[in-house]
Amino acid sequence: MATTAATVRPTTFFDEVVAETPGDPRLEACLQCGTCGGSCPSGADMDHTPRAIFALIAAGMKDAVLRSNTAWYCVSCYYCMVRCPQEIHITDIMYALKRMSIKAGLYQDKTSVPEASDFAETFVNYVETYGRSFELGLATRYHLLHHPLDMIKMVPLGLGMWRRKRLDFTPRRIEGIEQLHAILKRAKELGAAA
Amino acid sequence: MKYSYYPGCSLERQASAYHQSTMAVARPLNIDLVELEDWNCCGAIEYIAVDLLPAYALISRNLALAANQNGGGNHQIVAPCSACYLNLSKADKYMSDSPELAAKVNTALAAGGLSYTPGTIRTRHLLDVIVNDVGLDAIKERVTNALYNLRVAPYYGCVVVRPGFDHQFDDTEYPTSMDKLMRVLGATVIDFPLKSHCCGGHMTQISQDVALELIRRLLKNASDYDADVIVTLCPMCQLNLDAYQDSVNKQFGTDYHIPILYFTQLVGLAFGLPATELGIGKEFVDARPALAKVGATPDVTDIPASRRDKKALPMPRMTREGER
Ligand code: SF4
Ligand code: SF4
Ligand code: SF4
Ligand code: SF4
């Protein structure tokens, strides 16, 4: 009815981003001062600085935001977050945008950085299988999948690591792996229901 | 002082030197680090980018185990890895802030017969424990082989000092706790403006160009101030600056050979512990020329040289004594 339509505000993209971020990200307080972009070590490589991304979010430009490489180039250094005059949880919002772009399938677009999200997913696979990560295995499988030619670059590093006994070819399985699987399964169901 | 100890995956192998040196200095420092039984990976920075709830559940299994094991009797868990420290403290903080998130995570943990009340366990970084719990005075008393003349660049990286989810034990932009620690050991601490800038983390796997530029800036800064060695407190920082130093030199035509050591290794040397007990010798950039300055001549077995032609593949450069 007209009354409900008038009282219930439709969910905006801005609301979605806030809901996907744990705690209260305080995004509505952004002043557009640009401190975040100026502090960001990856700023020059990003399609949009964090400040610009927040303007796009406020404008509801979902597609542009989720296709942007910005979140994927965020190295999680927290500079922006400690410098932001409004104490906005910028780094956590970047993580939220990564998850949202994976869910929306938009990260596969050429303009974004497919490698970054694939790397994250390869890593997750290892952890889920063994409970602990296996650094070189991860890098190798990731490179075989995505940059078979780049593998050659990994060889010397891998050999050097091995000679220095800094490498192990067997990932270690934790004892409570079944317990961990049960926990992760339940968490995924809860996450999907939310 | 007793603590739960969460080594994290890196310290099992890649950064075994960090683990070894931590264990070696724990005894003289009078701290008892009890490894958390059956801990799992905390997901580094990747897991949280993929799925939120499983990421928090993954981290919280460790917190739940730590609570069951009483956090070593002290309700505290110590992490030597920056990313582990960040993850454990962040999950605890956001679950404390959001009962709704805590309830969901607990529903997941219940599937494995576990539960966790946010705020039960405090997460501490190893540096914080050594500098603030043990204290600089106690450390000073133990120094037998002062590191006079060694010019040290203290590298903190990002997430140990930012954003401080548990508590802020040092300045977010210009931290000094490791500087003070190094001075107590007798070393000369150089001014290192980029000390808390980012090394790029896993960016080396995603975009080499972006990563190498971040690493180059750090090496240049340390070298401009004539550092003999860069000290780190994070396995990933160590790996990036050490193993990729050769790639940086290739990419930018530079010629850096600055050894990258863990702060615990220098504490151990100042305490007169043998270099082999501290994992010295596992670094890519040979630390021996620098350590010779402080009379420490690590007797480490030579790393077998490669039979391959160096020009054929970009082999990591292995600096030998006399080559500097
Ligand atoms: S620093 Fe904070 S307030 Fe300023 S633009 Fe960035 S997010 Fe907005
Ligand atoms: S946390 Fe991310 S967005 Fe913020 S300054 Fe660092 S890299 Fe840039
Ligand atoms: S952050 Fe790194 S070292 Fe720490 S547990 Fe996770 S993968 Fe392992
Ligand atoms: S400096 Fe590098 S490895 Fe260390 S915490 Fe930052 S990104 Fe991670």
Side-chain angles (χ1 to χ4, degrees), chain A residues 36 39-42 46 50 73-80 90-91 94:
Chain A
C36 48
S39 309
C40 182
S42 299
M46 290 174 170
Y73 271 136
C74 167
V75 287
S76 190
C77 73
Y78 288 86
Y79 251 119
C80 50
I90 303 170
T91 318
M94 292 297 161

Side-chain angles (χ1 to χ4, degrees), chain A residues 30-40 49-52 85:
Chain A
C30 175
L31 300 168
Q32 289 291 304
C33 69
T35 303
C36 48
S39 309
C40 182
T49 61
R51 181 205 57 77

